[in-house]
PDB file of all heavy atoms in Angstrom:
ATOM      1  N   GLN G   1       0.820  -1.227  -0.017  1.00 95.00           N
ATOM      2  CA  GLN G   1       0.042  -0.001   0.051  1.00 95.00           C
ATOM      3  C   GLN G   1       0.880   1.233  -0.041  1.00 95.00           C
ATOM      4  O   GLN G   1       1.892   1.303   0.752  1.00 95.00           O
ATOM      5  CB  GLN G   1      -0.905   0.033   1.203  1.00 95.00           C
ATOM      6  CG  GLN G   1      -1.985  -1.026   1.202  1.00 95.00           C
ATOM      7  CD  GLN G   1      -2.946  -0.979   2.436  1.00 95.00           C
ATOM      8  OE1 GLN G   1      -2.734  -0.087   3.230  1.00 95.00           O
ATOM      9  NE2 GLN G   1      -3.865  -1.954   2.492  1.00 95.00           N
ATOM     10  N   GLU G   2       0.515   2.211  -0.868  1.00 95.00           N
ATOM     11  CA  GLU G   2       1.333   3.406  -1.025  1.00 95.00           C
ATOM     12  C   GLU G   2       0.355   4.622  -1.075  1.00 95.00           C
ATOM     13  O   GLU G   2      -0.719   4.551  -1.723  1.00 95.00           O
ATOM     14  CB  GLU G   2       2.134   3.294  -2.246  1.00 95.00           C
ATOM     15  CG  GLU G   2       3.193   4.354  -2.435  1.00 95.00           C
ATOM     16  CD  GLU G   2       4.050   4.100  -3.615  1.00 95.00           C
ATOM     17  OE1 GLU G   2       4.517   2.967  -3.822  1.00 95.00           O
ATOM     18  OE2 GLU G   2       4.235   5.073  -4.469  1.00 95.00           O
ATOM     19  N   PHE G   3       0.753   5.772  -0.412  1.00 94.00           N
ATOM     20  CA  PHE G   3      -0.050   6.963  -0.365  1.00 94.00           C
ATOM     21  C   PHE G   3       0.761   8.196  -0.709  1.00 94.00           C
ATOM     22  O   PHE G   3       1.928   8.299  -0.364  1.00 94.00           O
ATOM     23  CB  PHE G   3      -0.656   7.177   1.050  1.00 94.00           C
ATOM     24  CG  PHE G   3      -1.514   6.010   1.506  1.00 94.00           C
ATOM     25  CD1 PHE G   3      -0.898   4.936   2.201  1.00 94.00           C
ATOM     26  CD2 PHE G   3      -2.854   6.024   1.271  1.00 94.00           C
ATOM     27  CE1 PHE G   3      -1.645   3.844   2.618  1.00 94.00           C
ATOM     28  CE2 PHE G   3      -3.651   4.927   1.712  1.00 94.00           C
ATOM     29  CZ  PHE G   3      -3.102   3.873   2.436  1.00 94.00           C
ATOM     30  N   GLU G   4       0.155   9.044  -1.522  1.00 93.00           N
ATOM     31  CA  GLU G   4       0.847  10.226  -1.997  1.00 93.00           C
ATOM     32  C   GLU G   4       1.114  11.253  -0.834  1.00 93.00           C
ATOM     33  O   GLU G   4       2.139  11.916  -0.795  1.00 93.00           O
ATOM     34  CB  GLU G   4       0.023  10.894  -3.126  1.00 93.00           C
ATOM     35  CG  GLU G   4       0.698  12.038  -3.781  1.00 93.00           C
ATOM     36  CD  GLU G   4      -0.105  12.605  -4.948  1.00 93.00           C
ATOM     37  OE1 GLU G   4      -1.303  13.028  -4.658  1.00 93.00           O
ATOM     38  OE2 GLU G   4       0.361  12.650  -6.052  1.00 93.00           O
ATOM     39  N   ALA G   5       0.183  11.320   0.059  1.00 91.00           N
ATOM     40  CA  ALA G   5       0.312  12.306   1.201  1.00 91.00           C
ATOM     41  C   ALA G   5       1.404  11.794   2.138  1.00 91.00           C
ATOM     42  O   ALA G   5       1.369  10.655   2.610  1.00 91.00           O
ATOM     43  CB  ALA G   5      -0.975  12.375   1.920  1.00 91.00           C
ATOM     44  N   ASP G   6       2.357  12.662   2.479  1.00 88.00           N
ATOM     45  CA  ASP G   6       3.501  12.286   3.341  1.00 88.00           C
ATOM     46  C   ASP G   6       3.023  11.913   4.713  1.00 88.00           C
ATOM     47  O   ASP G   6       3.779  11.026   5.434  1.00 88.00           O
ATOM     48  CB  ASP G   6       4.536  13.374   3.429  1.00 88.00           C
ATOM     49  CG  ASP G   6       5.212  13.642   2.030  1.00 88.00           C
ATOM     50  OD1 ASP G   6       5.214  12.773   1.266  1.00 88.00           O
ATOM     51  OD2 ASP G   6       5.628  14.776   1.864  1.00 88.00           O
ATOM     52  N   GLU G   7       1.895  12.452   5.253  1.00 88.00           N
ATOM     53  CA  GLU G   7       1.463  12.189   6.523  1.00 88.00           C
ATOM     54  C   GLU G   7       0.992  10.762   6.728  1.00 88.00           C
ATOM     55  O   GLU G   7       0.899  10.213   7.848  1.00 88.00           O
ATOM     56  CB  GLU G   7       0.429  13.159   7.029  1.00 88.00           C
ATOM     57  CG  GLU G   7       0.935  14.605   7.143  1.00 88.00           C
ATOM     58  CD  GLU G   7       0.866  15.341   5.776  1.00 88.00           C
ATOM     59  OE1 GLU G   7       0.704  14.716   4.779  1.00 88.00           O
ATOM     60  OE2 GLU G   7       1.064  16.507   5.850  1.00 88.00           O
ATOM     61  N   LEU G   8       0.528  10.148   5.634  1.00 92.00           N
ATOM     62  CA  LEU G   8       0.017   8.811   5.719  1.00 92.00           C
ATOM     63  C   LEU G   8       1.109   7.799   5.571  1.00 92.00           C
ATOM     64  O   LEU G   8       2.162   8.125   5.109  1.00 92.00           O
ATOM     65  CB  LEU G   8      -1.048   8.592   4.556  1.00 92.00           C
ATOM     66  CG  LEU G   8      -2.289   9.520   4.541  1.00 92.00           C
ATOM     67  CD1 LEU G   8      -3.113   9.239   3.365  1.00 92.00           C
ATOM     68  CD2 LEU G   8      -3.091   9.230   5.894  1.00 92.00           C
ATOM     69  N   ARG G   9       0.793   6.581   5.988  1.00 92.00           N
ATOM     70  CA  ARG G   9       1.829   5.544   6.122  1.00 92.00           C
ATOM     71  C   ARG G   9       1.589   4.310   5.188  1.00 92.00           C
ATOM     72  O   ARG G   9       0.597   3.723   5.321  1.00 92.00           O
ATOM     73  CB  ARG G   9       1.978   5.020   7.603  1.00 92.00           C
ATOM     74  CG  ARG G   9       2.427   6.057   8.578  1.00 92.00           C
ATOM     75  CD  ARG G   9       2.229   5.680  10.002  1.00 92.00           C
ATOM     76  NE  ARG G   9       2.779   6.567  10.960  1.00 92.00           N
ATOM     77  CZ  ARG G   9       2.359   7.688  11.377  1.00 92.00           C
ATOM     78  NH1 ARG G   9       1.151   8.096  10.843  1.00 92.00           N
ATOM     79  NH2 ARG G   9       2.961   8.464  12.228  1.00 92.00           N
ATOM     80  N   GLY G  10       2.463   4.213   4.286  1.00 93.00           N
ATOM     81  CA  GLY G  10       2.362   3.017   3.466  1.00 93.00           C
ATOM     82  C   GLY G  10       2.809   1.744   4.160  1.00 93.00           C
ATOM     83  O   GLY G  10       3.352   1.900   5.227  1.00 93.00           O
ATOM     84  N   SER G  11       2.605   0.562   3.545  1.00 94.00           N
ATOM     85  CA  SER G  11       2.930  -0.619   4.332  1.00 94.00           C
ATOM     86  C   SER G  11       3.131  -1.737   3.265  1.00 94.00           C
ATOM     87  O   SER G  11       2.717  -1.707   2.164  1.00 94.00           O
ATOM     88  CB  SER G  11       1.813  -1.007   5.255  1.00 94.00           C
ATOM     89  OG  SER G  11       0.580  -1.214   4.578  1.00 94.00           O
ATOM     90  N   ASP G  12       3.861  -2.768   3.782  1.00 96.00           N
ATOM     91  CA  ASP G  12       4.017  -4.045   3.090  1.00 96.00           C
ATOM     92  C   ASP G  12       3.617  -5.137   4.091  1.00 96.00           C
ATOM     93  O   ASP G  12       4.204  -5.192   5.207  1.00 96.00           O
ATOM     94  CB  ASP G  12       5.468  -4.276   2.597  1.00 96.00           C
ATOM     95  CG  ASP G  12       5.824  -3.289   1.462  1.00 96.00           C
ATOM     96  OD1 ASP G  12       5.258  -3.416   0.384  1.00 96.00           O
ATOM     97  OD2 ASP G  12       6.688  -2.434   1.680  1.00 96.00           O
ATOM     98  N   ILE G  13       2.686  -5.976   3.636  1.00 96.00           N
ATOM     99  CA  ILE G  13       2.190  -7.035   4.531  1.00 96.00           C
ATOM    100  C   ILE G  13       2.425  -8.364   3.848  1.00 96.00           C
ATOM    101  O   ILE G  13       2.037  -8.557   2.744  1.00 96.00           O
ATOM    102  CB  ILE G  13       0.676  -6.833   4.772  1.00 96.00           C
ATOM    103  CG1 ILE G  13       0.377  -5.489   5.368  1.00 96.00           C
ATOM    104  CG2 ILE G  13       0.226  -7.944   5.774  1.00 96.00           C
ATOM    105  CD1 ILE G  13      -1.148  -5.162   5.463  1.00 96.00           C
ATOM    106  N   TYR G  14       3.115  -9.198   4.629  1.00 97.00           N
ATOM    107  CA  TYR G  14       3.462 -10.550   4.070  1.00 97.00           C
ATOM    108  C   TYR G  14       2.723 -11.554   4.838  1.00 97.00           C
ATOM    109  O   TYR G  14       2.709 -11.599   6.086  1.00 97.00           O
ATOM    110  CB  TYR G  14       4.994 -10.837   4.205  1.00 97.00           C
ATOM    111  CG  TYR G  14       5.830  -9.813   3.551  1.00 97.00           C
ATOM    112  CD1 TYR G  14       6.271  -8.644   4.261  1.00 97.00           C
ATOM    113  CD2 TYR G  14       6.288  -9.895   2.237  1.00 97.00           C
ATOM    114  CE1 TYR G  14       7.082  -7.625   3.628  1.00 97.00           C
ATOM    115  CE2 TYR G  14       7.109  -8.947   1.684  1.00 97.00           C
ATOM    116  CZ  TYR G  14       7.423  -7.833   2.406  1.00 97.00           C
ATOM    117  OH  TYR G  14       8.241  -6.847   1.812  1.00 97.00           O
ATOM    118  N   ARG G  15       1.983 -12.424   4.165  1.00 98.00           N
ATOM    119  CA  ARG G  15       1.148 -13.444   4.803  1.00 98.00           C
ATOM    120  C   ARG G  15       1.509 -14.812   4.286  1.00 98.00           C
ATOM    121  O   ARG G  15       1.858 -15.064   3.120  1.00 98.00           O
ATOM    122  CB  ARG G  15      -0.344 -13.196   4.443  1.00 98.00           C
ATOM    123  CG  ARG G  15      -0.857 -11.952   4.996  1.00 98.00           C
ATOM    124  CD  ARG G  15      -2.437 -11.801   4.726  1.00 98.00           C
ATOM    125  NE  ARG G  15      -3.051 -10.626   5.161  1.00 98.00           N
ATOM    126  CZ  ARG G  15      -3.286  -9.527   4.518  1.00 98.00           C
ATOM    127  NH1 ARG G  15      -2.859  -9.506   3.229  1.00 98.00           N
ATOM    128  NH2 ARG G  15      -3.805  -8.508   5.070  1.00 98.00           N
ATOM    129  N   GLY G  16       1.362 -15.818   5.171  1.00 98.00           N
ATOM    130  CA  GLY G  16       1.491 -17.209   4.850  1.00 98.00           C
ATOM    131  C   GLY G  16       0.429 -18.030   5.588  1.00 98.00           C
ATOM    132  O   GLY G  16       0.120 -17.786   6.803  1.00 98.00           O
ATOM    133  N   ASP G  17      -0.170 -18.940   4.917  1.00 98.00           N
ATOM    134  CA  ASP G  17      -1.219 -19.723   5.582  1.00 98.00           C
ATOM    135  C   ASP G  17      -1.199 -21.196   5.153  1.00 98.00           C
ATOM    136  O   ASP G  17      -0.882 -21.571   4.048  1.00 98.00           O
ATOM    137  CB  ASP G  17      -2.610 -19.211   5.084  1.00 98.00           C
ATOM    138  CG  ASP G  17      -3.777 -19.952   5.831  1.00 98.00           C
ATOM    139  OD1 ASP G  17      -4.209 -20.934   5.358  1.00 98.00           O
ATOM    140  OD2 ASP G  17      -4.180 -19.338   6.911  1.00 98.00           O
ATOM    141  N   LEU G  18      -1.358 -22.075   6.157  1.00 98.00           N
ATOM    142  CA  LEU G  18      -1.363 -23.523   5.984  1.00 98.00           C
ATOM    143  C   LEU G  18      -2.615 -24.093   6.595  1.00 98.00           C
ATOM    144  O   LEU G  18      -2.908 -23.856   7.799  1.00 98.00           O
ATOM    145  CB  LEU G  18      -0.147 -24.194   6.548  1.00 98.00           C
ATOM    146  CG  LEU G  18      -0.098 -25.735   6.579  1.00 98.00           C
ATOM    147  CD1 LEU G  18      -0.039 -26.215   5.142  1.00 98.00           C
ATOM    148  CD2 LEU G  18       1.118 -26.268   7.375  1.00 98.00           C
ATOM    149  N   SER G  19      -3.454 -24.795   5.742  1.00 97.00           N
ATOM    150  CA  SER G  19      -4.711 -25.284   6.257  1.00 97.00           C
ATOM    151  C   SER G  19      -4.816 -26.753   5.867  1.00 97.00           C
ATOM    152  O   SER G  19      -4.421 -27.233   4.738  1.00 97.00           O
ATOM    153  CB  SER G  19      -5.907 -24.542   5.562  1.00 97.00           C
ATOM    154  OG  SER G  19      -5.926 -23.222   6.060  1.00 97.00           O
ATOM    155  N   PHE G  20      -5.509 -27.483   6.713  1.00 97.00           N
ATOM    156  CA  PHE G  20      -5.838 -28.880   6.406  1.00 97.00           C
ATOM    157  C   PHE G  20      -7.351 -29.072   6.623  1.00 97.00           C
ATOM    158  O   PHE G  20      -7.910 -28.657   7.663  1.00 97.00           O
ATOM    159  CB  PHE G  20      -5.104 -29.881   7.324  1.00 97.00           C
ATOM    160  CG  PHE G  20      -3.594 -29.874   7.115  1.00 97.00           C
ATOM    161  CD1 PHE G  20      -2.765 -29.095   7.869  1.00 97.00           C
ATOM    162  CD2 PHE G  20      -3.062 -30.813   6.203  1.00 97.00           C
ATOM    163  CE1 PHE G  20      -1.411 -29.142   7.656  1.00 97.00           C
ATOM    164  CE2 PHE G  20      -1.662 -30.870   5.975  1.00 97.00           C
ATOM    165  CZ  PHE G  20      -0.860 -30.024   6.709  1.00 97.00           C
ATOM    166  N   ASP G  21      -7.995 -29.603   5.658  1.00 97.00           N
ATOM    167  CA  ASP G  21      -9.443 -29.811   5.641  1.00 97.00           C
ATOM    168  C   ASP G  21      -9.729 -31.336   5.616  1.00 97.00           C
ATOM    169  O   ASP G  21      -9.171 -32.072   4.771  1.00 97.00           O
ATOM    170  CB  ASP G  21     -10.153 -29.103   4.447  1.00 97.00           C
ATOM    171  CG  ASP G  21      -9.774 -27.687   4.323  1.00 97.00           C
ATOM    172  OD1 ASP G  21      -9.795 -26.960   5.354  1.00 97.00           O
ATOM    173  OD2 ASP G  21      -9.438 -27.234   3.229  1.00 97.00           O
ATOM    174  N   HIS G  22     -10.564 -31.763   6.512  1.00 97.00           N
ATOM    175  CA  HIS G  22     -10.972 -33.154   6.547  1.00 97.00           C
ATOM    176  C   HIS G  22     -12.448 -33.289   6.563  1.00 97.00           C
ATOM    177  O   HIS G  22     -13.161 -32.671   7.415  1.00 97.00           O
ATOM    178  CB  HIS G  22     -10.386 -33.787   7.825  1.00 97.00           C
ATOM    179  CG  HIS G  22     -10.589 -35.253   7.857  1.00 97.00           C
ATOM    180  ND1 HIS G  22      -9.995 -36.244   7.031  1.00 97.00           N
ATOM    181  CD2 HIS G  22     -11.496 -36.026   8.635  1.00 97.00           C
ATOM    182  CE1 HIS G  22     -10.412 -37.475   7.334  1.00 97.00           C
ATOM    183  NE2 HIS G  22     -11.325 -37.355   8.274  1.00 97.00           N
ATOM    184  N   ARG G  23     -12.985 -34.091   5.637  1.00 97.00           N
ATOM    185  CA  ARG G  23     -14.417 -34.300   5.517  1.00 97.00           C
ATOM    186  C   ARG G  23     -14.814 -35.334   6.554  1.00 97.00           C
ATOM    187  O   ARG G  23     -14.515 -36.534   6.476  1.00 97.00           O
ATOM    188  CB  ARG G  23     -14.799 -34.840   4.132  1.00 97.00           C
ATOM    189  CG  ARG G  23     -16.257 -34.829   3.872  1.00 97.00           C
ATOM    190  CD  ARG G  23     -16.562 -35.040   2.457  1.00 97.00           C
ATOM    191  NE  ARG G  23     -16.013 -36.263   1.964  1.00 97.00           N
ATOM    192  CZ  ARG G  23     -15.923 -36.594   0.630  1.00 97.00           C
ATOM    193  NH1 ARG G  23     -16.298 -35.682  -0.342  1.00 97.00           N
ATOM    194  NH2 ARG G  23     -15.431 -37.758   0.260  1.00 97.00           N
ATOM    195  N   LEU G  24     -15.465 -34.863   7.584  1.00 97.00           N
ATOM    196  CA  LEU G  24     -15.934 -35.692   8.629  1.00 97.00           C
ATOM    197  C   LEU G  24     -17.171 -36.531   8.371  1.00 97.00           C
ATOM    198  O   LEU G  24     -17.269 -37.661   8.712  1.00 97.00           O
ATOM    199  CB  LEU G  24     -16.226 -34.889   9.954  1.00 97.00           C
ATOM    200  CG  LEU G  24     -14.935 -34.044  10.436  1.00 97.00           C
ATOM    201  CD1 LEU G  24     -15.341 -33.073  11.541  1.00 97.00           C
ATOM    202  CD2 LEU G  24     -13.866 -34.930  10.935  1.00 97.00           C
ATOM    203  N   THR G  25     -18.132 -35.920   7.666  1.00 97.00           N
ATOM    204  CA  THR G  25     -19.299 -36.586   7.232  1.00 97.00           C
ATOM    205  C   THR G  25     -19.598 -36.006   5.767  1.00 97.00           C
ATOM    206  O   THR G  25     -18.917 -35.049   5.348  1.00 97.00           O
ATOM    207  CB  THR G  25     -20.528 -36.257   8.167  1.00 97.00           C
ATOM    208  OG1 THR G  25     -20.904 -34.961   7.941  1.00 97.00           O
ATOM    209  CG2 THR G  25     -20.143 -36.483   9.580  1.00 97.00           C
TER     210      THR G  25
END
């Protein structure tokens, strides 16, 4: 995220996700 106004704060967000799904019924 990037903003032209100097007072605002840009950011970089790094995400990682691991999921296991099991069909119970």
Side-chain angles (χ1 to χ4, degrees):
Q1 293 183 1
E2 188 175 313
F3 301 88
E4 186 176 57
D6 293 335
E7 294 85 348
L8 298 176
R9 294 165 172 82
S11 63
D12 291 293
I13 305 172
Y14 305 88
R15 296 184 178 97
D17 184 275
L18 174 63
S19 295
F20 293 91
D21 307 315
H22 183 73
R23 190 169 59 193
L24 301 173
T25 72

